[in-house]
């Protein structure tokens, strides 16, 4: 199960739109920063293929300026 964390930078003045759009996507946990114009995003998917599909959805959000992965972890399936 890939679990990844990202810093999502919104387009100017579009932070709330970005938070709303990310929150509507299954597999995303969104934590907007209170003191910066940035959003912390955690994704949790079943496999690498699902993660790729999820990332494509995220990158299509027009209020997103930049998505930077901070950390990634993939737990082995038994």
């Amino acid at each position: 199960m890939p679990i990844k964390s990202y810093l999502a930078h919104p387009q100017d003045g579009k932070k709330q739109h970005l938070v709303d759009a990310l929150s509507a996507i299954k597999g995303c946990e969104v934590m907007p920063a209170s003191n910066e114009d940035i959003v912390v995003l955690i994704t949790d998917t079943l496999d690498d293929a699902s993660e790729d599909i999820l990332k494509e959805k995220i990158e299509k959000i027009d209020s997103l300026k930049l998505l930077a992965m901070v950390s990634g972890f993939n737990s082995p399936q038994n």
Side-chain angles (χ1 to χ4, degrees), residues 40-51:
V40 176
L41 172 65
I42 308 294
T43 62
D44 185 2
T45 54
L46 295 175
D47 52 33
D48 289 331
S50 298
E51 178 67 28

Side-chain angles (χ1 to χ4, degrees), residues 11-60:
Q11 297 287 349
D12 292 337
K14 301 283 186 173
K15 181 179 176 183
Q16 189 57 50
H17 182 270
L18 179 60
V19 168
D20 294 343
L22 291 170
S23 297
I25 300 173
K26 185 179 180 197
C28 292
E29 183 177 339
V30 182
M31 293 164 276
S34 59
N35 61 346
E36 294 290 332
D37 200 23
I38 196 166
V39 177
V40 176
L41 172 65
I42 308 294
T43 62
D44 185 2
T45 54
L46 295 175
D47 52 33
D48 289 331
S50 298
E51 178 67 28
D52 291 341
I53 292 168
L54 179 62
K55 191 171 178 206
E56 285 179 20
K57 286 181 186 178
I58 293 168
E59 290 175 341
K60 289 181 182 178

